[in-house]
Each structure stands twice: as structure tokens, then as C-alpha cells.
Amino acid sequence: MAKTGEKSGGSGKKGLKRKAAPEEPQEAAVVEDGTTESGVQPPKAAAFPPGFSISEIKNKQRRHLMFTRWKQQQRKEKLAAKKKLKKEREALGDKAPPKPIPKTIDNQRVFDETIVDPNDEEVAYDEATDEFASYFNRQTSPKILITTSDRPHGRTVRLCEQLSTVIPNSHVYYRRGLALKKIIPQCISRDFTDLIVINEDRKTPNGLILSHLPNGPTAHFKMSSVRLRKEIKRRGKDPTEHIPEIILNNFTTRLGHSVGRMFASLFPHNPQFIGRQVATFHNQRDYIFFRFHRYIFKSEKKVGIQELGPRFTLKLRSLQKGTFDSKYGEYEWVHKVCAYSLKSHLENLYYGKNKTTHFNLWVLIS
């Protein structure tokens, strides 16, 4: 019988041999001038960040690792610079220079020439003679009718019901297939001052029409980011019947004054501060954010807010003189749509139909 490690006579199989461990390379002795005894300089440690672009690394995992390390180093350098600047400011005390103002989208915007001074005589005259003058002179009290588009779904109906708890003296009626031209005279005869119509698409509210009665104007808004009360986290209890305060932010242009006065005319004059409820219309970058909160007094100096809901975002599409009239109405302002965007929208709308229809549409919009 063959010994282990030797070839067996007739089997033809090789015996198992233990491989010798590879010899570890011996470190070359380094002379004082930085070279080895053989005169060759040792390789330098890899510097970080690398001198080349990380995007040139072809290995995906290696590229991701290098990018992560680079971001971590940037974060450390930024934090160290921040701590150093803080120590310098503490050392200077009152002589420290003022903190720089951070750049934001709002403070970097080009100045809007349509912003008006609320104390301007022309603006004051326009507001004294517009359609909302009777409300601000306390000659009328608001009475709101809230309705929907035809055959509304549950989400839209619940939004109307929750809006009626936010806006005092508001009434929800089902549309029942009536046209707005027939609804408006009935509203005027029953002393309603405003009409709110919530439209929907694919079971989701996507539009709001607000018409001031009896002489207008009428505003059409696009509605998005709708959240009902049950969908809001950490919401408070249902609102009470107290008249809420109303806050209008950044309605500073001529158009903003008109829209802000429309929203203000929905609520009664004298808010009941004991209810601690506030409705906010915040205009930012031409989007109007609606929120409904309640004040919470934690102590004599600390005050918190608790959202009650609902919440949604509006964007003005058009402002029309008079009551709603889609055929002969005169528009004060219409949102301008880019021709390329309109062309793409029409293409997507008719895409998938027969080639003749698609070709005729292309000729029409070209």
C-alpha cells in the first residue's frame, strides 16, 4: 500500500500534498533620505480623496464605497469648520460680525412689480368700491353653499362635510345634475353670499370653484395634496362651533388682494377667540396652502398648535368677472400655459387612438 503523499501503483490518483505557505515579503530597510537600500523609493499611501474622478471607477461597488467615504469626509470638514466659526464668535462676543442670511428660493426671487402698498390711495379706492365692500363694511354676513360635481364619490363628499365644519354658516347640498347657471339664481334668491363647488377626477378632489354672489368675481383653483382628518397624524379632536380666526399670508399683489378678500369674505367678522381655532391661507410661490389649527397653551410663555384638518393646496387657474359663465364670461386673469406643455398634454390625451386622429391633432397644434 502506497504511503500518503506518494503515487499509488494502479490507481493513477495523486496523493494529497500540503502546500507550503507563501513566503511573506520582507520589508526593505529604508535609509534616512526615504529610499531603500536598493535605491528604490517605497510606494506612497493612497491619498483620499483621490486625485481622479470617482465616476471613472468602473467597479460599481468600489465606486459607491469611494463616493460614500468622500461624502463622509465632506461632512466632517463642514462640521469642523462650523465648530471653529462658533468658537471664534464666542471669543469675539459682541464684536462678532452678523450672521450671513441663508439663500432661499423666496429671498432670491426677482422683485415683483405688481406688489402694492396697502396704504396706497388707488388700492384703497378700489377696495372701497369692489364687490366685497359690503362685507368689509359689515353690511352683509356670509352665508355659504357648498356643493360638488355630478355623482360625487365618498372622498369628495367627506371633504365637503369637513369644510362645512370649518366655515361657519355653510350648508352642503348635493348637485343632482343641475347646471351652475341654474344653481346661482337659486342661491341669490335664498340670500347666499358665496358658492363653493368641489370637482373631482378619478374619485379624488382636483378642483375648486369659488363664486362670490350676486355680482362675482369667480375664481377657479386647481386642488391637490388633499388630506382628510383621518389621514392626518397626531390630529386634535374635531373642531367646535366657535367662529375661527383667519390668517392671510403673502397676498401682496393686486391679484393677491382680490383673492385674499375672497377668502376673507367666507368667514364672519367677529372671531370667537375662546375657541382657539384659526384657519390659515398661506401663499408661497403662487401656491395657496390651507391649514386649520387649534392653539394649545402649554404655559404662560409657551404656545403650541394642533392641526385639526382638513388640509389641501390650491393654485389659481383663472379669475372671472361676474358669476360663473364658461361661454361669455370676461376674465380678469388666466394662468398662462406654455405652448410646448399644451402640445405635450394634447398629445398624451389623444395618444393611443387611431393614426388619423393623432395625425389631424398634430397638424392642428403644429
Side-chain angles (χ1 to χ4, degrees), residues 1-64:
M1 193 170 181
K3 296 180 180 180
T4 304
E6 297 179 359
K7 296 181 180 180
S8 58
S11 62
K13 295 182 181 180
K14 295 182 180 180
L16 298 176
K17 288 185 178 181
R18 184 178 180 181
K19 294 183 180 180
E23 297 181 358
E24 296 180 357
Q26 297 180 356
E27 295 183 359
V30 182
V31 195
E32 294 180 357
D33 60 353
T35 59
T36 59
E37 293 178 353
S38 59
V40 181
Q41 292 185 353
K44 297 181 179 179
F48 189 83
F52 56 90
S53 175
I54 296 178
S55 60
E56 296 177 3
I57 301 175
K58 295 184 178 180
N59 187 285
K60 183 178 180 180
Q61 293 180 346
R62 181 66 180 172
R63 184 171 64 247
H64 178 70

Side-chain angles (χ1 to χ4, degrees), residues 95-127:
K95 296 181 180 180
K99 291 184 178 180
I101 301 174
K103 293 183 179 180
T104 61
I105 296 178
D106 289 331
N107 62 21
Q108 296 299 312
R109 294 183 73 179
V110 181
F111 178 75
D112 192 352
E113 297 180 354
T114 59
I115 293 177
V116 295
D117 184 7
N119 299 323
D120 186 72
E121 295 181 358
E122 183 179 354
V123 176
Y125 176 77
D126 291 342
E127 292 181 351

Side-chain angles (χ1 to χ4, degrees), residues 131-163:
E131 298 87 350
F132 308 102
S134 59
Y135 165 80
F136 286 97
N137 293 333
R138 305 199 174 208
Q139 298 174 1
T140 59
S141 58
K143 183 180 179 182
I144 319 299
L145 186 142
I146 302 175
T147 186
T148 62
S149 55
D150 292 334
R151 298 176 182 177
H153 292 82
R155 186 176 174 82
T156 306
V157 174
R158 286 193 296 272
L159 177 61
C160 294
E161 292 173 351
Q162 293 181 12
L163 272 181

Side-chain angles (χ1 to χ4, degrees), residues 208-272:
L208 185 143
I209 296 175
L210 175 58
S211 181
H212 186 69
L213 305 177
N215 300 319
T218 301
H220 177 221
F221 299 92
K222 175 187 174 183
M223 179 182 286
S224 59
S225 304
V226 179
R227 295 290 181 273
L228 301 179
R229 286 185 181 134
K230 288 187 177 180
E231 301 169 358
I232 297 175
K233 296 181 180 179
R234 296 181 295 276
R235 67 179 181 90
K237 296 181 180 179
D238 291 342
T240 59
E241 297 181 355
H242 295 90
I243 299 175
E245 305 173 57
I246 179 171
I247 297 177
L248 301 172
N249 287 334
N250 298 335
F251 292 90
T252 54
T253 61
R254 295 297 293 267
L255 179 63
H257 271 247
S258 300
V259 176
R261 287 168 70 85
M262 286 189 73
F263 289 134
S265 63
L266 296 175
F267 295 84
H269 298 280
N270 300 319
Q272 296 173 343

Side-chain angles (χ1 to χ4, degrees), residues 11 74 204 322:
S11 62
Q74 270 195 333
T204 303

